[in-house]
Amino acid sequence: MRRLTGNVATTLAAVLVLTGTTAVAHAADDPFDTYDDQQLTWGACPFDTPEDARPAQCALVTVPRDWAAPTSGVDLKIQISRVEATGERLGALLVNPGGPGGQGSSLAGALAALQPAVSERYAFIGMDPRGTGREGAQAEDPGLVCEIPNGRLSTRQDLDARDRSADSIAEHQKAPRAIAEACQSEALTPYITTWQTAHDMELIRRLLGETRLNYLGYSYGTWLGAKYASLFPDSAGKVVLDSSVNWQGRLQAAFEAFPVIGQRQFDDVFLPWMTRHFADLVGATPAQAKQTWEQARAYLKAERVLAPDAFDGVFVGMGSELRWVLGAALFALAVGEMRGQAPEAAVAAGVRAELDAWSRAEHGVPLAQLTTRRIAAALEEDYTRLAGTRVAVACGDQPTRSAAWYRSLSDRQGPRYPLFGWAYGLSEFCGFWSDAPRQALPDLPARVAGKVLVVQGEFDPQTGYEQAGAAVRAAPGVSMVSVDDSAFHGQYAVGGNPCVDGMVNVFLLHNSRPSSATCPGVPLPGEDEVHPVAGPVERRGAARQAVPPASPLRDRVQERITESNSADAA
């Protein structure tokens, strides 16, 4: 490298000093210095408080567009909420529903109501992560939105990923290619990452005046919480990671496992449950039910009611009771229409009442008037304006695989996991991502492991049990509560499981963390006992859980967590 002459070097040094841009001085600056003296102004939140939830106050936090270069670009504003502790305060608990892309402002009040003992001692803090806009004020602040040209999308109404023709594959890849290219063209996209959001969380801790930030995150929220604790280990308090991805590995691996874990739940838990409650419609054995399901799939395709891919998608990621009921209703109605039967008459009474209540709430008609066409209309998606946070984070946090790699994954997964294996690899937009990550995300340091508790359901169809186990094995000192026979996504506070809630609450309130434990699951919808299924959790004894009392708030929060983290959440 050519050396600068004395006069040039002196002049350049003077200019740099005058402009305040010397490399040494900039490196010594704390990026939070410019932002941690702002005053939070708390007021009414723009969203409606969910029924039975505790009311919250909201404030806006100013953050830099890029924490790596805080003086460049226009600042962003993110919304946070606060539900103050009702008793002697232990600290603040920041909550996140996952995604990437789930808004968390209203979640604070809902979780505070569901766990009153914890909300007595902790202030619950919600956050709408950067890129998600402001919950309740989307018109003024929609966040990162990717505009997808209509002409780039497939117009086919019969897409079926089992069709492996060149034309079918090309049609399937139109949407993910258009999504990736549209989102990459947005100027904000490079700054919507976990690394950036973790820095926003650290600023929030400072502005709240908290020595430590305690955390509860679901699904992708486990990745966010683990990376916050990795980037700011001295600031991390107690960390609860519920329905966990492998936060010591690749975030994309969680999405790549959707076909595997979805098929397991469908074959081993859902179909047997259908035979217990819909035997006259679907058959008395899981094998018969699976054959009937295939017939219903073909019928809806032939009648042009629902494309095969869309039908399959209803049964992928059934992580909440509401999603479970949707799958059961569509399956039963399709069989009934195919055979000219009234399905509600052939359904067990307990489930019939639940299906009818769901139909009235979600579709405005009793079950007797619900049709597959009405459900299909409600399932229609519009990809022309797409919330981009899910795309930006999933593809921007770490290096991505190529479209060819995902096409090969589809070929490998399809025969073994046909429910979603054929479609997933053809629909993954990260395969068309070309930008490299701007920052590296560290693994969890050993000195933080003792602060972390993982909670994981055995048959979770959105974050597989094996993902959580891999993270715990790669981070010695982290403890894990396994939930035997649990088929849903989200456990603590939203699963109605007193064993899980008790263990997490003892950790949060009394600092007593289980080293490793297993909780029995709770019964599935319409049942008063658990029907054990062989799986990755080692069964320990015959402990039973009572049917949890009805809680519309709990059901809605679990559905929101499921929706935030579904395979098509983009």
Side-chain angles (χ1 to χ4, degrees), residues 20-103:
T21 56
T22 62
V24 173
H26 182 72
D29 288 344
D30 184 336
F32 297 98
D33 284 346
T34 307
Y35 295 90
D36 64 5
D37 61 350
Q38 62 186 288
Q39 297 297 312
L40 295 178
T41 302
W42 296 98
C45 294
F47 53 81
D48 294 330
T49 300
E51 187 175 358
D52 297 329
R54 288 189 58 195
Q57 292 181 306
C58 286
L60 295 179
V61 178
T62 300
V63 299
R65 182 186 66 167
D66 183 5
W67 279 105
T71 59
S72 67
V74 178
D75 286 342
L76 309 177
K77 289 187 180 296
I78 60 174
Q79 179 170 271
I80 64 173
S81 63
R82 177 182 66 183
V83 179
E84 194 50 85
T86 59
E88 187 178 353
R89 200 173 183 278
L90 285 175
L93 180 69
L94 190 146
V95 298
N96 180 274
Q103 296 174 320

Side-chain angles (χ1 to χ4, degrees), residues 323-510:
R323 293 291 177 101
W324 192 271
V325 171
L326 167 61
L330 180 61
F331 189 1
L333 287 170
V335 175
E337 291 173 11
M338 179 175 65
R339 297 176 179 170
Q341 296 177 249
E344 66 273 10
V347 178
V351 177
R352 188 187 316 132
E354 190 156 351
L355 288 176
D356 185 70
W358 166 83
S359 179
R360 292 174 188 271
E362 298 296 320
H363 298 280
V365 296
L367 180 63
Q369 297 176 19
L370 188 62
T371 65
T372 56
R373 291 189 184 277
R374 186 183 287 268
I375 293 177
L379 293 173
E380 290 182 0
E381 295 179 303
D382 179 11
Y383 283 115
T384 55
R385 285 180 56 83
L386 194 70
T389 302
R390 159 79 162 82
V391 183
V393 174
C395 306
D397 267 11
Q398 296 172 310
T400 62
R401 313 288 199 192
S402 68
W405 187 90
Y406 280 109
R407 159 71 192 279
S408 178
L409 179 67
S410 171
D411 291 336
R412 296 194 306 272
Q413 288 187 329
R416 298 184 64 186
Y417 316 111
L419 180 66
F420 193 44
W422 293 115
Y424 168 70
L426 300 183
S427 61
E428 179 51 73
F429 35 76
C430 289
F432 297 95
W433 203 257
S434 57
D435 292 345
R438 296 194 172 201
Q439 288 89 24
L441 290 167
D443 286 340
L444 191 76
R447 63 193 176 99
V448 186
K451 302 178 180 181
V452 179
L453 175 63
V454 172
V455 183
Q456 185 65 37
E458 183 174 22
F459 296 109
D460 188 321
Q462 295 191 342
T463 51
Y465 185 86
E466 292 80 0
Q467 288 272 319
V472 172
R473 287 192 300 273
V478 171
S479 62
M480 178 168 164
V481 175
S482 302
V483 189
D484 192 23
D485 289 312
S486 175
F488 293 145
H489 189 60
Q491 300 294 326
Y492 173 65
V494 299
N497 190 316
C499 175
V500 171
D501 292 353
M503 288 193 178
V504 175
N505 287 349
V506 167
F507 173 50
L508 292 174
L509 297 174
H510 305 293

Side-chain angles (χ1 to χ4, degrees), residues 37-376:
D37 61 350
Q38 62 186 288
Q39 297 297 312
L40 295 178
T41 302
W42 296 98
C45 294
F47 53 81
D48 294 330
T49 300
E51 187 175 358
D52 297 329
R54 288 189 58 195
Q57 292 181 306
C58 286
L60 295 179
V61 178
T62 300
V63 299
R65 182 186 66 167
D66 183 5
W67 279 105
T71 59
S72 67
V74 178
D75 286 342
L76 309 177
K77 289 187 180 296
I78 60 174
Q79 179 170 271
I80 64 173
S81 63
R82 177 182 66 183
V83 179
E84 194 50 85
T86 59
E88 187 178 353
R89 200 173 183 278
L90 285 175
L93 180 69
L94 190 146
V95 298
N96 180 274
Q103 296 174 320
S105 287
S106 68
L107 185 65
L111 289 175
L114 291 170
Q115 292 297 323
V118 178
S119 67
E120 181 181 353
R121 306 300 305 278
Y122 285 88
F124 277 64
I125 306 298
M127 174 180 67
D128 298 333
R130 59 169 57 210
T132 66
R134 291 172 58 201
E135 185 174 3
Q138 293 294 116
E140 300 112 60
D141 182 7
L144 175 61
V145 176
C146 306
E147 301 281 351
I148 317 294
N150 275 321
R152 300 290 307 280
L153 301 173
S154 176
T155 58
R156 292 267 299 272
Q157 301 297 314
D158 61 345
L159 285 179
D160 186 347
R162 297 183 189 181
D163 177 358
R164 308 308 285 177
S165 67
D167 178 66
S168 173
I169 290 171
E171 288 294 309
H172 277 86
Q173 290 183 325
K174 282 183 177 180
R177 184 191 297 274
I179 290 169
E181 293 177 357
C183 287
Q184 282 186 282
S185 70
E186 295 293 330
L188 186 59
T189 295
Y191 311 105
I192 307 301
T193 64
T194 298
W195 187 89
Q196 299 282 359
T197 300
H199 283 70
D200 296 342
M201 292 167 58
E202 176 63 1
L203 176 62
I204 291 169
R205 179 194 68 80
R206 293 182 178 220
L207 296 179
L208 293 174
E210 300 291 336
T211 304
R212 299 282 186 273
L213 186 63
N214 304 288
Y215 181 83
L216 165 62
Y218 299 89
S219 200
Y220 159 76
T222 64
W223 177 269
L224 175 60
K227 295 311 178 185
Y228 171 76
S230 302
L231 287 162
F232 302 100
D234 294 331
S235 299
K238 297 169 187 173
V239 178
V240 179
L241 306 178
D242 189 313
S243 304
S244 187
V245 302
N246 181 2
W247 32 264
Q248 294 286 77
R250 293 174 54 248
L251 176 59
Q252 272 301 119
F255 304 116
E256 292 158 13
F258 255 75
V260 182
I261 59 180
Q263 193 75 50
R264 177 168 66 189
Q265 187 210 52
F266 182 73
D267 289 345
D268 298 347
V269 188
F270 180 72
L271 288 180
W273 177 84
M274 288 292 297
T275 65
R276 294 195 294 271
H277 298 280
F278 300 81
D280 291 345
L281 280 172
V282 306
T285 68
Q288 292 172 345
K290 197 167 189 176
Q291 183 178 22
T292 305
W293 184 87
E294 290 285 349
Q295 294 168 354
R297 183 182 192 269
Y299 166 78
L300 294 178
K301 177 183 178 180
E303 294 295 313
R304 298 184 179 275
V305 174
L306 201 59
D309 284 354
F311 179 72
D312 295 348
V314 170
F315 302 90
V316 175
M318 292 188 294
S320 69
E321 187 166 322
L322 290 174
R323 293 291 177 101
W324 192 271
V325 171
L326 167 61
L330 180 61
F331 189 1
L333 287 170
V335 175
E337 291 173 11
M338 179 175 65
R339 297 176 179 170
Q341 296 177 249
E344 66 273 10
V347 178
V351 177
R352 188 187 316 132
E354 190 156 351
L355 288 176
D356 185 70
W358 166 83
S359 179
R360 292 174 188 271
E362 298 296 320
H363 298 280
V365 296
L367 180 63
Q369 297 176 19
L370 188 62
T371 65
T372 56
R373 291 189 184 277
R374 186 183 287 268
I375 293 177

